[in-house]
Amino acid sequence: METLKRIGILTSGGDCAGLNAAIRAVVHRATGTYGWQVLGIRQATQGLMCRPPAAQILEPALVDHLLTAGGTMLGTTNKGNPFAFPMPDGTLGDRSQDIIDGYRELGLDAFIGIGGDGSLAILQRIARQGGLNFVAIPKTIDNDVGITERSIGFDTAVNIATEAIDRLHFTAASHNRVMIVEVMGRDAGHIAVSAGIAGGADIILIPEIPYTLDNIAQAIRLQQERGKKYAIVVVAEAVRTETNQPVVCTDPAGQCRFGGIGQYLSEQLCRVTGAETRVTVLGHTQRGGTPSPLDRLLATAFGVAAVDLIAEGRFDHMVTWQQRQVIGVPISEAISRYCAVEPDGTLVKTARGVGICFGDEIPDDRSAEVVAESVA
Ligand code: F6P
């Protein structure tokens, strides 16, 4: 009889919808198919720093209802890099060996880490240092992990942002206002592009495509001349000012984070167009709530495949979604290729094709000529 395998699972970095669905799939596959034991590690790697390590046995009955639950039942953190961890005396210390010792204390044969590119790079470094068997699952609403076409959480975030834009059309039209919607995404504009197209935005601004206020103002004016008196502008949080200055704010803990580009644009567009402007910052609503069916599906497929990678001994690999298939790739390949929006890619072309302005040029819309010709 095969010796019992014990695997750990943890979630690391910012939470997103679909994490629990992935945990559930891992538990089902590992216990049901292979007869292994699964330990859920609390609060990312911090659970492995605790003595005794903070972990609990996960069984199907405990996780089955979690398919639709937002957040992560294991807790997570996007602070406290273990290699520069805040110590009680105020200095930064290397706690990586504590994590390796915690893994050994739990008697793990392997562990699965669910994270974005930053977390996965840290987990991989620790695993290599300690000779730990590690398999990765990509998650992030930003969808910026390399190689995989999708990461867990992105689709739900796009759904939430799209629904918000849908709602804003009516109030914008009623008041003839320019509505600016600031979405998350860190340095990538994926949420802005997808939700902007799906929500019928007029202007989408992303960090990957430089803009001028003049182009945006002209696009709004042209639209007004053609009879549409309101406009929806979707802006990704990492978009800079027209003069390329980052727009950031400092949170109460003194940490610098994105935030404020919507307000900046609101003031500038009010000034240059004379339009009444309003800002909606979607913030963490994009991370919360019930995962979309697509995220549940992706999370389930990733969870099953990650356990299979362990069964096959293919460690240091990450599961990816490529052309409707889950494929394991070396983690290094995935995290070394940052996945930004391609300015010449299909989605940007699609957006331009329906007259959406990216602020780099004024959309070429000849529909008015066609109408005039057909009337003549
Ligand atoms: O990486 C996910 C993300 O939601 C980004 O889109 C956003 O910039 C950041 O995390 C927010 O982090 P926090 O939860 O620390 O405010």
Side-chain angles (χ1 to χ4, degrees), residues 78 140-142 184-186 237 257-258 284 287:
N78 59 1
T140 167
I141 64 165
D142 308 335
M184 282 186 166
R186 214 153 256 173
E237 61 180 356
R257 50 189 72 256
F258 290 123
H284 293 79
R287 296 220 308 236

Side-chain angles (χ1 to χ4, degrees), residues 3 42 81 83 146 184 187 216 222 253 270-271 304 333 370:
T3 47
R42 299 216 48 88
N81 176 350
F83 293 97
M184 282 186 166
D187 295 308
I216 302 172
L222 271 175
C270 177
R271 182 179 59 76
V304 168
E333 272 183 35
V370 176

Side-chain angles (χ1 to χ4, degrees), residues 95-360:
R95 301 278 317 262
S96 55
Q97 191 55 46
D98 294 331
I99 294 167
I100 294 163
D101 293 344
Y103 171 101
R104 302 236 184 273
E105 199 169 320
L106 289 175
L108 298 178
D109 297 302
F111 80 106
I112 294 172
I114 310 179
D117 55 353
S119 297
L120 297 183
I122 289 171
L123 293 172
Q124 185 194 45
R125 187 172 159 198
I126 294 168
R128 286 185 171 182
Q129 181 183 316
L132 316 183
N133 295 327
F134 171 48
V135 161
I137 296 179
K139 67 87 213 167
T140 167
I141 64 165
D142 308 335
N143 209 32
D144 55 359
V145 179
I147 305 203
T148 185
E149 287 161 17
R150 295 193 159 271
S151 293
I152 297 170
F154 172 64
D155 186 63
T156 307
V158 170
N159 284 355
I160 293 166
T162 303
E163 193 194 326
I165 298 167
D166 290 347
R167 288 169 190 265
L168 288 171
H169 276 278
F170 296 99
T171 173
S174 305
H175 289 266
N176 291 338
R177 283 174 172 161
V178 173
M179 289 294 198
I180 295 142
V181 190
E182 182 179 314
V183 298
M184 282 186 166
R186 214 153 256 173
D187 295 308
H190 294 290
I191 298 177
V193 171
S194 291
I197 296 172
D202 303 293
I203 292 153
I204 299 174
L205 302 177
I206 56 174
E208 295 87 343
I209 301 180
Y211 68 92
T212 69
L213 288 167
D214 198 41
N215 284 340
I216 302 172
Q218 284 209 52
I220 292 172
R221 268 190 223 110
L222 271 175
Q223 190 164 291
Q224 286 170 341
E225 280 165 24
R226 289 180 189 130
K228 188 173 172 189
K229 302 292 182 200
Y230 75 95
I232 304 279
V233 181
V234 178
V235 59
E237 61 180 356
V239 166
R240 295 179 164 221
T241 66
E242 198 187 21
T243 53
N244 205 28
Q245 300 306 308
V247 184
V248 290
C249 56
T250 309
D251 69 16
Q255 291 235 340
C256 191
R257 50 189 72 256
F258 290 123
I261 185 64
Q263 187 57 36
Y264 164 83
L265 285 170
S266 169
E267 286 159 19
Q268 299 305 317
L269 292 179
C270 177
R271 182 179 59 76
V272 294
T273 65
E276 201 180 2
T277 56
R278 291 288 186 273
V279 189
T280 304
V281 180
L282 296 183
H284 293 79
T285 59
Q286 295 157 97
R287 296 220 308 236
T290 309
S292 68
L294 182 53
D295 268 332
R296 292 180 213 176
L297 225 128
L298 189 70
T300 305
F302 278 175
V304 168
V307 174
D308 289 347
L309 283 179
I310 293 177
E312 292 158 17
R314 293 174 66 202
F315 303 116
D316 206 22
H317 274 60
M318 182 183 94
V319 291
T320 64
W321 186 256
Q322 295 180 46
Q323 298 181 346
R324 295 175 176 221
Q325 288 193 63
V326 181
I327 297 174
V329 301
I331 295 172
S332 303
E333 272 183 35
I335 58 180
S336 61
R337 291 194 214 171
Y338 185 72
C339 171
V341 172
E342 288 170 24
D344 297 323
T346 299
L347 286 186
V348 173
K349 275 189 194 153
T350 301
R352 292 195 199 275
V354 291
I356 295 174
C357 170
F358 282 86
D360 55 338

